[in-house]
Amino acid sequence: MDYKSGVCNFCGTGCGNYLKITDGRITGVFSSRNHPVSKGRLCVRGWHLHEWLMTDQRIDAPMIRVDGSLKKVSYEEAVNFMMDRMSAYKGKENKEIGFLASPRSSNENNYLFMKLARGVFKTNNITLDSESGHKASLNVLSEGTGFAGMTGSLEDIAKTDFILVVGSDLTKMNPIIGSEIHKAQMSGTKVVTICSRSSQIAKLSNVHLQIKPGSKKVILGALAKAAISSGAADSDYISKFTEGVEVFKNSVNSLEPADIEALTGADYSLITSIAEELCKSSSAMAFWSTGIAGLDQDTVSYIYDLFLVAGKIGKEFSGVNPIAGIANLQGGYDMGAAPDLLTGFQKINSDAASKFEKAWGTTLNKEAGRDIYDLLADKNSGLKALVVADHDEGIVRYEKEIEALDFVVYFGAYDNPFIKHADVVFPVAALIEDNGTYTNTERRVQLSQKRIEPFENVMPGWKLFPMIAAKASQNWNYSSAEDVFKEITSLTPEYAGLTYAKLIDSMGIQWPCNDKNPAGCRRLDAEKAGRKFKFADVSGNYKTPSATAEYPFLLIRGQGEHFWHQNNIMKKSYIPKREYNATLLVFPEGYVEICKEDAKALQVREHWGVKIVSASGAMKVSVKISDDVKPGTAYVPYFIREMITEFLLEHKSDIGRGEDAIIPVRIERV
Amino acid sequence: MYLIEKNNVMKLAEELAKSYDLYGPVIDKETKQVFFNKVENASEISLTAEIPALPPKTIVFPQIERITKYKYDKTAKKAEIAMTYDDRSKAIFGIRPCDLTGILVLDRFFLGQEFVDDVYKEHRKRMFIVSNTCVVPFKQCFCVCTDSGPAADEGYDLNLTEIGDMYLVETGSEKGKAFAEKMGLKPAGDEYITLKKKAVDKSISLFEKVATDNKAWISRVMNRVTTGFIKDDVWKHIGNQCFECGACSFVCPTCSCFNIEDHNRFDGSTDRLREWDSCSFEGYTKMAGDHNPRHPVEDRRNKRFFCKLSYSQSKKYLRPGCVGCGRCQWVCPGDIGLPNVVTYIRREITE
Ligand code: SF4
Ligand code: SF4
Ligand code: SF4
Ligand code: SF4
């Protein structure tokens, strides 16, 4: 049989697939009918995974920078060069070193990368790349429930009664999850979407609350207020399973119906009826995208608290569910690729650290590190060296700051724009050239098996990272990726019961998998949680951005399916790349979507060039006229290089706020 | 007409494997999904496996294949070009009638029109086809509505029909007949004409109970699609649900669209590839200057159904473009596989 089961490596849905292997090369992909998540479906990306995996745009040998240009050398030489140069930063608790991990690498490679940072270089400056929102969501869930992941299951979408989608377009970001929601809607589930733009998921919903840009917190707070004041809130659940409701009640009670309507543009009686339906439904799930266009922590806290008020967390077919945009974003956090974490959301400054010290035979720096992007933004941070894995954005953010660093190390399988900043480059075996586990957005740990030999004999991570550790006199003893996984499971309570054998026999197992749940765990269970769920702190700040005479439009931004934050691996495909180019062909400078009325008032037509001006920058784009936005709203998809580097990056603080980064602008004809 | 005992039927495949690369339905051990794939050994093939997830069209029209290889020598200013057609002889064992009909439709597209596609011709030229009558339909099937099953009428060298503990072996070509003779198969008596008819009738009668996933009575719908009397709202309703994944084209036994790409190899040579494409993609018909004849997604969707269900298109294929396999229904994230679309259009007609 040429078809071997595998896992899609694009987004966090974790669809099952089959890869066709002929004569040791990959020649196709097909969907997996029995896979519990994808059930025979794949999206445009998944249907073209083979195009990416068959690319010859690979890194074929280790390289070091000599006199300004990269020269191919042996692994041995490259490791010596790296350790030699990095020794300059020793003995300062290594605040000068940073690690940028990849949400696409396997759990095994992320774990080793994290171990290298903390165990060998004694730095806790480690961040998952391409990310802003998932950690915020996990913080809320972990604080509140002790469960640092989606509390429900994707399989339950088909069975739930009520679905609330907040924000970005799931049909584009995680299409197969969008598909599950759509199919549930078709068979009777009530779907409500909150989004300022008429996205596809909004069109497929029963109710689309097309609120004014930047008013998500207001509407979420309003739903909670309405639930409480109408008496629909689940008071039994609240008293039995939760604590801290009073503080939350107070902060939403300050919202007055008239203000709510003015700020959101939505009708309060509609809000009340939705709140009642949510509470009275037999089960309900909330979904929001994380990642670059994700929600900020405050907004996530409102969703979480609203669902506690409705009594819909820790119950059958219910839950609050952050949706990871990249294959192993959840797994990256599970492996501790964050300044304050070890594996399984164990804190670096907790007792857990001593367990790792013992297992690793070394001492750890127990003070949480700093986020790499913060360090890059902060001119006085003292960051000197950066170690990067599998960067997959086509755009290197903070390019100037990275260029100014002393030393950059890059690990990766594919040719990448990051390489031009690197002083040492290590090739590593790619997906299906080595075994590796990946954890999807619903905590499903899946094994992607080795199906072909590594390109040009490049090393797998479990061989390469120990080589580096050995230079620092640490003896890491692995003879396979499976050995690494065994170490992970021995140190990570949620993963304790997992083995490769179990994973091969299943289509993934959802953590926690341990003595209590040997077959994994579909959802958080309020009855068995052994604790109360804490209401999350919310800001009570309902200020929304407002348009002014000078800047009459509120600009929102979003990501499309094909352009997917200028994804570097997407560019190694054919059909998805062509789809990206199809948009580029028509809108080479990118576009701004405005409604007919606004276009008329501005006296512009489709395709005409306009200048978008904000308080801190300007960019040129073309006009696209669409019914999908309301008057006063301008939408730009996030896919043109100049737009991101020249304009959006000028709004760094706004971008940090994730999806609710609303920028007041004016649009000028040119 | 010949007969062979059930427990000997795989001997036919074993014999074919001696002179052909052998393909057939294979059940994946780990996951139980059925593929139509090349086998090393005839014993891997299952004649009772359900309709394969992967359509056998991949054998004559692979998902991605190299059609030319070239290398440019800069110093000598010379290019070496090699056509790399797949000219292996292939035996297809146990193809279902719908999928066989699919190959006949592809034949009419690749071989029967203004041009002849050499790549396809090479795949198809030395082929031996053994089809397998569906004595029981599967959940997703609706070939009775599209006139492409549950028994094949043409296109095979041999056709197998399970009758009691025997397989009836019909021959559809001289090649097939010669093979049956060579195998020394026992001739079947005339009573087997009736027995086969009974088996097929029984299968048809089982559709009501067994083939419950899809019903798509397409004839009235074809009329509507051809005359263009379907309301824009219906297409819009359908288009809004399309996730633009391309799957419906990829799994369809009759979809023939492809795209050409040059793949630069590490050794400096270039592979010219052809790969499956789909009319659901925006880039598929995109031309410079936003002159996209099928811009909104609902237009692209209606193109697919026009292709599958209009008379003008059927004239080219000598039959409707849909062969009733039901695959597009289970792969579609938007829940708008052809059977559902037929339902939407019929609903509009009755309203
Ligand atoms: S939804 Fe995500 S995991 Fe599934 S096929 Fe698409 S990209 Fe792959
Ligand atoms: S559609 Fe008809 S011919 Fe095809 S497998 Fe089903 S019953 Fe057989
Ligand atoms: S249109 Fe759908 S049901 Fe018809 S032949 Fe194609 S894949 Fe099968
Ligand atoms: S399978 Fe469905 S969603 Fe995908 S392109 Fe076809 S109609 Fe659209």
Side-chain angles (χ1 to χ4, degrees):
Chain A
M1 253 279 269
D2 295 343
Y3 287 85
K4 308 283 182 202
S5 61
V7 186
C8 182
N9 196 242
F10 281 120
C11 85
T13 310
C15 295
N17 62 18
Y18 292 86
L19 291 163
K20 186 180 187 194
I21 317 286
T22 16
D23 306 324
R25 283 183 68 88
I26 180 156
T27 53
V29 69
F30 203 78
S31 64
S32 170
R33 242 187 134 162
N34 300 326
H35 192 274
V37 174
S38 50
K39 303 188 191 107
R41 292 160 297 175
L42 294 171
C43 73
V44 60
R45 301 186 294 246
W47 274 109
H48 297 95
L49 181 68
H50 61 298
E51 294 182 345
W52 158 38
L53 294 180
M54 66 193 264
T55 184
D56 278 42
Q57 297 171 49
R58 293 285 298 265
I59 305 169
D60 67 318
M63 293 183 277
I64 60 174
R65 195 168 291 280
V66 189
D67 301 329
S69 55
L70 287 170
K71 177 180 125 198
K72 289 186 187 182
V73 292
S74 69
Y75 274 103
E76 186 67 33
E77 276 173 88
V79 171
N80 286 342
F81 182 81
M82 168 182 172
M83 295 311 271
D84 200 39
R85 293 284 304 271
M86 298 279 281
S87 68
Y89 316 109
K90 274 255 164 75
K92 296 174 187 164
E93 279 197 322
N94 282 346
K95 291 211 171 7
E96 299 177 339
I97 300 179
F99 276 65
L100 197 53
S102 162
R104 199 174 300 287
S105 302
S106 66
N107 287 328
E108 289 76 358
N109 283 351
N110 260 327
Y111 172 79
L112 293 178
F113 196 68
M114 183 279 286
K115 183 172 174 181
L116 196 67
R118 301 194 207 276
V120 174
F121 293 99
K122 311 293 177 202
T123 181
N124 291 325
N125 298 333
I126 178 168
T127 300
L128 270 179
D129 202 2
S130 310
E131 186 351 61
S132 62
H134 202 69
K135 176 77 189 307
S137 301
L138 298 186
N139 287 344
V140 172
L141 296 176
S142 156
E143 261 306 288
T145 68
F147 207 74
M150 173 163 165
T151 72
S153 264
L154 297 177
E155 275 180 275
D156 290 345
I157 295 174
K159 299 183 191 124
T160 194
D161 215 26
F162 185 101
I163 291 174
L164 179 69
V165 179
V166 185
S168 72
D169 194 352
L170 280 176
T171 59
K172 297 282 187 261
M173 301 292 293
N174 296 62
I176 301 309
I177 297 178
S179 168
E180 277 298 283
I181 296 175
H182 168 52
K183 288 192 170 192
Q185 194 277 337
M186 296 290 279
S187 47
T189 300
K190 174 98 178 203
V191 179
V192 176
T193 292
I194 297 175
C195 184
S196 305
R197 188 173 166 266
S198 177
S199 60
Q200 189 175 12
I201 194 82
K203 292 190 176 100
L204 296 174
S205 302
N206 301 70
V207 179
H208 173 203
L209 292 167
Q210 191 165 8
I211 54 169
K212 289 187 182 163
S215 64
K216 284 200 195 78
K217 281 192 285 194
V218 182
I219 195 122
L220 290 162
L223 284 164
K225 179 194 164 92
I228 295 164
S229 56
S230 71
D234 190 341
S235 46
D236 291 348
Y237 172 95
I238 294 172
S239 60
K240 192 165 167 210
F241 296 116
T242 75
E243 59 192 27
V245 69
E246 289 310 322
V247 183
F248 179 63
K249 260 190 193 166
N250 290 340
S251 72
V252 294
N253 271 341
S254 67
L255 281 165
E256 290 305 328
D259 296 340
I260 292 168
E261 294 190 341
L263 292 171
T264 63
D267 197 24
Y268 190 67
S269 61
L270 176 64
I271 294 173
T272 308
S273 77
I274 291 170
E276 284 174 1
E277 253 184 285
L278 163 65
C279 294
K280 288 182 184 142
S281 62
S282 61
S283 52
M285 299 176 98
F287 294 93
W288 65 96
S289 284
T290 66
I292 257 168
L295 304 176
D296 63 311
Q297 189 153 334
D298 201 26
T299 309
V300 173
S301 299
Y302 276 95
I303 302 176
Y304 167 79
D305 286 352
L306 169 65
F307 266 59
L308 283 185
V309 165
K312 296 296 187 283
I313 297 179
K315 289 215 295 212
E316 182 137 61
F317 312 137
S318 295
V320 279
N321 309 303
I323 298 301
I326 306 176
N328 207 30
L329 189 50
Q330 177 68 41
Y333 286 119
D334 291 353
M335 292 305 109
D340 56 337
L341 299 179
L342 289 158
T343 66
F345 240 71
Q346 303 173 87
K347 298 274 188 211
I348 182 89
N349 57 7
S350 73
D351 297 344
S354 55
K355 180 171 71 177
F356 284 80
E357 287 183 320
K358 210 168 134 216
W360 293 354
T362 186
T363 54
L364 296 179
N365 165 5
K366 293 183 200 65
E367 190 191 323
R370 285 179 68 188
D371 180 278
I372 298 303
Y373 287 111
D374 284 351
L375 288 171
L376 287 169
D378 173 1
K379 286 195 179 59
N380 302 317
S381 68
L383 184 71
K384 298 237 167 70
L386 187 62
V387 183
V388 182
D390 268 329
H391 183 85
D392 65 40
E393 281 181 54
I395 294 166
V396 178
R397 283 188 282 162
Y398 292 99
E399 198 149 16
K400 282 190 212 105
E401 288 79 358
I402 289 169
E403 224 164 70
L405 294 173
D406 286 0
F407 195 64
V408 175
V409 185
Y410 185 78
F411 293 92
Y414 302 96
D415 194 12
N416 188 296
F418 219 102
I419 289 174
K420 73 169 188 278
H421 303 291
D423 299 286
V424 194
V425 176
F426 289 101
V428 274
L431 184 78
I432 76 160
E433 293 175 354
D434 186 17
N435 286 331
T437 58
Y438 297 83
T439 307
N440 82 348
T441 197
E442 53 155 9
R443 301 167 278 107
R444 181 179 299 274
V445 184
Q446 307 193 80
L447 177 63
S448 165
Q449 295 184 63
K450 176 173 174 177
R451 300 300 189 188
I452 56 176
E453 286 306 315
F455 184 78
E456 302 283 315
N457 297 315
V458 305
M459 276 192 193
W462 57 265
K463 248 191 200 159
L464 175 56
F465 293 119
M467 233 179 119
I468 297 168
K471 272 277 165 302
S473 311
Q474 288 194 24
N475 178 22
W476 295 5
N477 215 338
Y478 310 110
S479 48
S480 64
E482 186 173 5
D483 283 351
V484 180
F485 192 70
K486 283 180 187 154
E487 186 172 309
I488 296 171
T489 58
S490 74
L491 292 165
T492 314
E494 284 81 1
Y495 281 59
L498 293 170
T499 62
Y500 269 28
K502 267 193 187 174
L503 294 174
I504 287 175
D505 284 344
S506 65
M507 292 192 176
I509 295 176
Q510 288 174 273
W511 66 249
C513 174
N514 47 30
D515 289 346
K516 266 196 246 153
N517 310 286
C521 188
R522 223 164 135 131
R523 63 173 173 89
L524 171 67
D525 190 338
E527 301 278 356
K528 295 185 195 149
R531 58 172 283 174
K532 285 195 166 187
F533 300 153
K534 272 200 296 232
F535 273 82
D537 293 339
V538 292
S539 64
N541 175 0
Y542 301 109
K543 225 175 123 253
T544 59
S546 44
T548 59
E550 196 183 3
Y551 301 113
F553 283 92
L554 293 178
L555 182 86
I556 54 177
R557 68 211 166 84
Q559 285 171 290
E561 181 170 41
H562 311 299
F563 17 95
W564 230 35
H565 35 122
Q566 284 264 344
N567 193 286
N568 185 49
I569 54 172
M570 254 359 217
K571 289 185 175 165
K572 295 181 170 52
S573 70
Y574 298 120
I575 299 275
K577 182 177 70 186
R578 182 192 69 190
E579 293 303 294
Y580 164 65
N581 287 339
T583 315
L584 261 190
L585 202 62
V586 189
F587 297 105
E589 299 172 305
Y591 62 81
V592 58
E593 211 171 85
I594 51 176
C595 69
K596 256 188 249 126
E597 297 82 353
D598 284 340
K600 207 167 156 203
L602 289 165
Q603 295 183 302
V604 293
R605 295 226 188 114
E606 182 95 351
H607 290 302
W608 284 18
V610 290
K611 206 161 113 190
I612 297 185
V613 186
S614 79
S616 45
M619 66 176 164
K620 249 195 77 194
V621 289
S622 309
V623 169
K624 188 174 179 204
I625 298 171
S626 159
D627 299 335
D628 293 344
V629 287
K630 285 193 167 175
T633 304
Y635 165 83
V636 288
Y638 180 71
F639 75 109
I640 301 291
R641 188 182 181 89
E642 286 62 38
M643 196 168 101
I644 298 166
T645 49
E646 305 298 322
F647 182 77
L648 291 178
L649 288 187
E650 286 304 317
H651 295 86
K652 276 177 194 138
S653 58
D654 298 305
I655 290 193
R657 294 210 318 268
E659 197 183 78
D660 259 345
I662 312 295
I663 307 169
V665 296
R666 73 169 170 270
I667 299 177
E668 295 172 359
R669 246 175 87 176
V670 290
Chain B
M1 274 195 316
Y2 301 86
L3 288 173
I4 189 165
E5 299 78 25
K6 245 190 194 168
N7 49 11
N8 281 330
V9 69
M10 293 317 289
K11 293 218 168 106
L12 301 177
E14 279 159 31
E15 183 60 28
L16 286 169
K18 289 178 189 163
S19 15
Y20 296 89
D21 282 5
L22 184 64
Y23 291 77
V26 183
I27 304 173
D28 180 51
K29 282 192 204 76
E30 283 172 26
T31 62
K32 309 285 173 263
Q33 182 157 320
V34 182
F35 288 84
F36 208 96
N37 200 219
K38 189 163 174 291
V39 296
E40 294 309 318
N41 197 305
S43 63
E44 292 169 50
I45 292 179
S46 162
L47 279 182
T48 50
E50 64 175 350
I51 171 172
L54 178 77
K57 92 164 169 190
T58 49
I59 301 163
V60 289
F61 179 37
Q63 187 166 23
I64 193 159
E65 77 176 313
R66 184 176 69 191
I67 53 175
T68 313
K69 185 181 174 71
Y70 63 89
K71 191 166 186 167
Y72 184 66
D73 185 337
K74 270 192 197 135
T75 42
K77 294 212 164 83
K78 253 179 59 189
E80 273 171 58
I81 303 179
M83 301 299 178
T84 56
Y85 298 164
D86 179 355
D87 57 2
R88 292 170 299 142
S89 307
K90 295 168 198 128
I92 294 187
F93 196 84
I95 188 173
R96 297 285 174 188
C98 52
D99 285 334
L100 175 57
T101 312
I103 290 183
L104 300 181
V105 170
L106 291 179
D107 285 354
R108 283 162 202 147
F109 176 80
F110 282 114
L111 305 173
Q113 299 190 31
E114 310 86 68
F115 71 97
V116 168
D117 184 282
D118 289 335
V119 186
Y120 183 89
K121 199 167 101 195
E122 285 301 322
H123 280 298
R124 192 68 178 87
K125 222 168 164 178
R126 284 163 293 274
M127 193 166 263
F128 194 101
I129 295 181
V130 182
S131 49
N132 184 14
T133 303
C134 301
V135 290
V136 180
F138 305 97
K139 259 180 87 192
Q140 70 195 57
C141 305
F142 60 100
C143 59
V144 286
C145 321
T146 56
D147 188 26
S148 45
D153 314 319
E154 53 170 345
Y156 54 78
D157 295 295
L158 297 179
N159 179 47
L160 304 174
T161 306
E162 188 188 331
I163 296 174
D165 47 13
M166 296 295 230
Y167 268 103
L168 174 67
V169 183
E170 291 163 287
T171 58
S173 68
E174 285 307 317
K175 201 162 60 173
K177 198 158 181 193
F179 183 77
E181 289 293 332
K182 184 175 129 202
M183 291 299 290
L185 298 187
K186 196 162 65 189
D190 280 351
E191 71 276 19
Y192 274 91
I193 298 178
T194 333
L195 286 172
K196 181 189 167 189
K197 190 172 176 304
K198 263 197 187 153
V200 174
D201 286 347
K202 170 134 189 261
S203 173
I204 293 172
S205 72
L206 285 172
F207 269 74
E208 174 92 40
K209 251 206 298 195
V210 181
T212 47
D213 280 1
N214 303 307
K215 288 271 174 295
W217 299 104
I218 62 171
S219 41
R220 276 187 75 190
V221 169
M222 281 187 80
N223 194 340
R224 270 286 163 134
V225 172
T226 311
T227 50
F229 280 146
I230 295 165
K231 281 198 212 102
D232 284 352
D233 278 359
V234 175
W235 287 128
K236 203 165 175 179
H237 174 66
I238 293 165
N240 275 347
Q241 298 179 63
C242 180
F243 284 59
E244 299 173 68
C245 68
C248 48
S249 307
F250 303 153
V251 300
C252 182
T254 69
C255 274
S256 53
C257 287
F258 58 81
N259 176 42
I260 304 279
E261 290 285 349
D262 277 352
H263 175 88
N264 295 325
R265 294 294 299 271
F266 202 64
D267 64 9
S269 66
T270 300
D271 290 346
R272 176 149 294 178
L273 304 173
R274 98 159 163 194
E275 58 171 346
W276 292 347
D277 206 342
S278 169
C279 56
S280 63
F281 294 135
E282 189 174 2
Y284 170 83
T285 43
K286 192 69 126 190
M287 295 169 201
D290 197 22
H291 188 74
N292 189 342
R294 306 192 190 288
H295 197 68
V297 55
E298 59 258 32
D299 289 357
R300 299 203 288 279
R301 280 306 67 207
N302 102 23
K303 145 94 177 131
R304 171 170 167 79
F305 299 108
F306 193 80
C307 180
K308 297 293 162 210
L309 293 175
S310 72
Y311 291 132
S312 37
Q313 200 65 24
S314 304
K315 260 193 249 156
K316 295 186 189 157
Y317 300 147
L318 309 177
R319 55 155 294 112
C322 174
V323 298
C325 73
R327 289 186 181 94
C328 56
Q329 186 62 39
W330 64 258
V331 293
C332 179
D335 211 11
I336 43 164
L338 184 130
N340 271 10
V341 167
V342 166
T343 309
Y344 289 142
I345 298 174
R346 281 175 58 87
R347 200 177 292 160
E348 190 213 30
I349 297 173
T350 42
E351 274 166 15

